[in-house]
Amino acid sequence: MAIERTLSIIKPDATRRNLTGKIVAMFEEAGLRVVASKRIHLTPAQAGQFYAVHKERPFYGELVEQMSAEPVVVQVLEGEGAIAKNREVMGATNPAQADEGTIRKAFALSVGENSVHGSDAPETAKEEIAFFFAGIELVG
Ligand code: ADP
Ligand code: MG
């Protein structure tokens, strides 16, 4: 499998509870490498733009509000099959359905406040990385 890069966000529900280090440790233990990282506070407009694909969904307003409520940690993770591997470590969107040993099983509060975001495909990973990082900030 090829070396890939994917975009991860540690969401406000997790940064608020001081879980950043524990979550990053789970990425690293799974063989993913943090090649870019920053802590930022999204405006509602920025969160809305990032999640524009969900604009028509009933939870969009709540999602934008939660994602802009407090700081997030955005990271680029690199590794063999990083996009799928990150989704595996994250666990299912709804923590009630997440497998043991996943981040969402361990930490998510609800389907909305589910602690992490991860890109879902190569095209979205590319777009999402470019949304947050300039090429010069990616240091493998
Ligand atoms: P994922 O983050 O696993 O890729 P989606 O892309 O389907 O999941 O949804 C994006 C985010 O929107 C989820 O991580 C979650 O925060 C929120 N969300 C998804 N479905 C719901 C829902 N039914 N109710 C509330 N929030 C939701
Ligand atoms: Mg998604």
Side-chain angles (χ1 to χ4, degrees):
M1 199 173 282
I3 299 287
E4 292 175 338
R5 286 177 171 176
T6 190
L7 191 278
S8 164
I9 306 178
I10 303 176
K11 295 184 177 184
D13 74 88
T15 62
R16 185 200 316 141
R17 289 177 291 150
N18 223 15
L19 294 170
T20 300
K22 287 199 172 83
I23 290 173
V24 173
M26 289 171 84
F27 294 143
E28 292 181 340
E29 276 156 24
L32 294 164
R33 174 177 291 273
V34 179
V35 298
S37 183
K38 58 189 171 192
R39 182 173 164 101
I40 57 177
H41 193 151
L42 294 170
T43 64
Q46 289 167 337
Q49 192 188 341
F50 181 76
Y51 277 116
V53 66
H54 295 303
K55 203 156 37 184
E56 307 306 327
R57 311 283 286 278
F59 56 79
Y60 179 71
E62 180 189 313
L63 178 61
V64 169
E65 197 178 305
Q66 286 169 350
M67 289 300 291
S68 57
E70 284 168 272
V72 296
V73 175
V74 291
Q75 301 187 308
V76 179
L77 306 178
E78 184 182 83
E80 293 262 328
I83 297 165
K85 187 175 282 182
N86 181 39
R87 297 289 310 191
E88 246 177 71
V89 180
M90 288 164 62
T93 307
N94 183 345
Q97 283 150 22
D99 290 339
E100 283 298 333
T102 63
I103 292 168
R104 284 168 166 169
K105 177 72 176 184
F107 302 125
L109 299 175
S110 65
V111 64
E113 292 193 296
N114 57 6
S115 305
V116 279
H117 165 86
S119 309
D120 60 9
E123 315 77 66
T124 46
K126 198 164 178 236
E127 283 170 23
E128 291 179 359
I129 289 168
F131 186 88
F132 286 111
F133 293 98
I136 200 168
E137 295 177 288
L138 305 175
V139 282

